Amino acid sequence: MAILTVQKVSKYYEKKKVLDDVSFSLEKGEILVIIGASGSGKSTLLRCINQLEKIDEGNIIIQEQKMIREVKKGKPIYEKKDKLEKMNLSCGMVFQNFNLFPHLSILENITKAPMTVLKQDRKTAEQIANQLLIKMGIENKSDQYPCTLSGGQQQRVSIARALAIRPEIIFMDEPTSALDPELIGEVLKVIEELAKEKRTMVIVTHEIGLAEEIADRVIFMDQGKIIEEGTPQEVIGNPKQKRTREFLTRYQKKQLRFGDGS
Ligand code: ADP
Ligand code: MG
């Protein structure tokens, strides 16, 4: 049964339709990679699922809980706050620019949500955080502040922070796009590890190589719409749509040029 269903979702910014009748679903343990040109609505889609933006039409269902309770005069009415918060705890989000709290240490960045939202005691939260830091290969950084870490290290902390709430689904929005080329590999390695553990993930990325390697399914978005969907072999290896082919030609060329397409 689907763990996440996005049902005919549309979203406008002012008059501009940035998500246009988007529907897909995700099974437990499945890895979905979303590709598409800049401005095609990928971030907005993840932000709507993570309740950082509101939708104007459709519904989002996470573990059988609907986000929209009813539609009144054409406007979606969201569920009550406590239900929405519970749904949001099923979702861990990793942002392109890390979004760590600059005034908190690495350890505090990771323990904050488990202590405040999940009501874990400090000792338990710190134990879990330390295990996650070991998993991310940055166990000796726990007392430091984000600004003293490299981008690759900050992004690994941000992945640890997302995992600390034990989410059912992990969302990553271009997790390697803000990194210097030499730091991309260390973050890709962590993502590949999570993939091996069969974590349920939705990853927006321009790393076509990563999509080919770990995705069970690939979605190509263009101008707020899902244009093509299938296995990596289908969408990347043998795209049916002209726009998908054009996009892939552009990005695969770019990766060859910069040598970071592995
Ligand atoms: P992507 O992540 O695929 O690059 P986005 O979801 O960021 O695309 O953006 C989709 C469209 O929505 C773009 O045209 C972008 O300019 C617009 N947009 C994104 N965020 C906002 C915002 N907060 N206000 C107005 N327009 C926005
Ligand atoms: Mg984006």
Side-chain angles (χ1 to χ4, degrees), residues 19-245:
L19 291 179
D20 188 355
D21 202 21
V22 172
S23 297
F24 69 88
S25 63
L26 186 75
E27 302 289 319
K28 194 174 168 67
E30 195 178 19
I31 299 175
L32 172 68
V33 168
I34 303 176
I35 58 174
S38 177
S40 57
K42 307 179 299 296
S43 295
T44 305
L45 177 59
L46 292 202
R47 292 175 65 81
C48 287
I49 300 168
N50 283 271
Q51 299 180 34
L52 297 164
E53 298 287 349
K54 292 210 152 140
I55 63 174
D56 294 306
E57 284 163 32
N59 214 333
I60 295 170
I61 302 151
I62 299 173
Q63 291 188 299
E64 296 177 59
Q65 285 287 335
K66 288 183 177 169
M67 217 175 261
I68 304 301
R69 190 179 43 184
E70 58 183 323
V71 178
K72 263 192 188 158
K73 293 183 183 155
K75 283 215 180 308
I77 310 292
Y78 273 75
E79 265 299 349
K80 293 214 173 67
K81 204 170 155 218
D82 57 331
K83 269 203 176 162
L84 291 175
E85 276 172 4
K86 216 166 150 205
M87 287 175 79
N88 211 20
L89 278 176
S90 313
C91 302
M93 177 90 164
V94 174
F95 299 88
Q96 181 173 356
N97 292 311
F98 330 131
N99 286 19
L100 294 172
F101 305 112
H103 59 290
L104 297 183
S105 73
I106 297 309
L107 193 69
E108 289 164 340
N109 260 282
I110 302 174
T111 56
K112 188 178 163 66
M115 284 172 63
T116 53
V117 189
L118 298 181
K119 311 285 181 218
Q120 278 176 7
D121 61 80
R122 178 177 299 276
K123 196 165 160 238
T124 309
E126 288 186 351
Q127 262 172 5
I128 294 170
N130 281 319
Q131 283 162 4
L132 286 168
L133 285 172
I134 293 171
K135 193 176 158 96
M136 298 295 135
I138 32 177
E139 60 271 28
N140 53 353
K141 302 283 180 195
S142 59
D143 295 332
Q144 296 192 22
Y145 285 81
C147 64
T148 67
L149 270 58
S150 73
Q153 289 168 336
Q154 288 190 52
Q155 192 58 301
R156 285 184 280 151
V157 172
S158 145
I159 295 172
R161 181 178 62 175
L163 294 174
I165 59 161
R166 306 191 176 188
E168 286 290 332
I169 315 169
I170 304 161
F171 296 85
M172 299 196 191
D173 190 1
E174 297 199 37
T176 60
S177 292
L179 301 176
D180 291 334
E182 71 270 23
L183 301 178
I184 290 175
E186 64 193 57
V187 173
L188 290 182
K189 207 169 130 212
V190 167
I191 299 172
E192 284 158 6
E193 283 301 316
L194 296 175
K196 278 192 201 131
E197 293 171 13
K198 287 276 153 221
R199 299 274 190 155
T200 314
M201 295 198 276
V202 180
I203 305 174
V204 171
T205 187
H206 292 311
E207 294 286 331
I208 303 300
L210 180 72
E212 285 179 304
E213 187 189 331
I214 69 166
D216 296 304
R217 205 144 46 94
V218 177
I219 280 178
F220 172 69
M221 283 184 71
D222 189 58
Q223 297 180 10
K225 279 195 173 79
I226 294 178
I227 299 287
E228 191 156 355
E229 180 176 352
T231 63
Q233 291 81 359
E234 286 164 353
V235 178
I236 297 169
N238 190 18
K240 288 192 186 64
Q241 304 294 331
K242 185 162 167 264
R243 276 183 275 181
T244 319
R245 284 198 294 273

